Amino acid sequence: MAPLPLFLALVLAVSAAHKAQSGARLATATARLAGVSPSAGQLLLVVAAAIEAVAAICLVIPAATVAGALIAALLWSAYALALWRRRGETLDCGCDFAARPRPVGAGQILRALLLAGLAAVLTVLPAPEGVPPAEALLAALAFLALYFGASELLSIPHPAWRKS
């Protein structure tokens, strides 16, 4: 197992679990982000969580890694598009563990695009040989910690260093 597909699988699995755990808040966020009714937002939330779970599983199965990466790239691209359509609007996009209504900006959009890009790159990379599982897991967890840290930095309301 390589660190990159494992990292992407962890992001997807955490996201799917988060949708299951915080369904009421995220259904509202999904409906607002997608511009649909609350009942349609609930349905979209369940579908998104299912797609994330399937992609995460595929990413950890060597024979299905490319399929999982393609599914993940398409899903994160759809998230980026939805965020781009709502740029500048103040809302809880559901991107974080806590409700943080704020204007949708470049940070949220670029985060989704970066994940989509990493997944897209994974579809063309050859499978690495000989990466010890423990090292791959530790590297993936380190990337996940950095990802969560970057997410927290994006949540700072008006830092002097950020222009969006």
Side-chain angles (χ1 to χ4, degrees):
M1 172 61 44
L4 180 57
L6 190 53
F7 162 68
L8 295 176
L10 287 170
V11 170
L12 289 162
V14 167
S15 183
H18 180 230
K19 286 174 177 59
Q21 190 270 333
S22 301
R25 175 179 78 87
L26 295 179
T28 302
T30 301
R32 183 128 187 250
L33 187 61
V36 298
S37 69
S39 60
Q42 180 67 44
L43 178 62
L44 282 175
L45 180 71
V46 171
V47 168
I51 292 170
E52 288 171 344
V54 167
I57 291 167
C58 288
L59 282 166
V60 297
I61 300 171
T65 299
V66 171
L70 183 59
I71 294 167
L74 291 172
L75 183 65
W76 281 317
S77 295
Y79 290 165
L81 179 61
L83 288 163
W84 181 78
R85 287 180 52 231
R86 300 288 181 209
R87 67 192 179 282
E89 292 182 30
T90 298
L91 55 87
D92 173 16
C93 69
C95 302
D96 300 309
F97 291 122
R100 294 182 179 155
R102 62 182 183 268
V104 175
Q108 292 86 6
I109 298 165
L110 289 174
R111 173 176 43 194
L113 286 174
L114 175 66
L115 289 169
L118 287 172
V121 165
L122 192 56
T123 65
V124 296
L125 285 178
E129 298 293 326
V131 178
E135 288 180 20
L137 178 61
L138 288 175
L141 289 172
F143 286 134
L144 189 64
L146 290 171
Y147 174 79
F148 287 144
S151 181
E152 289 301 310
L153 288 174
L154 282 174
S155 72
I156 299 172
H158 296 352
W161 50 264
R162 190 170 72 201
K163 301 298 181 208
S164 64

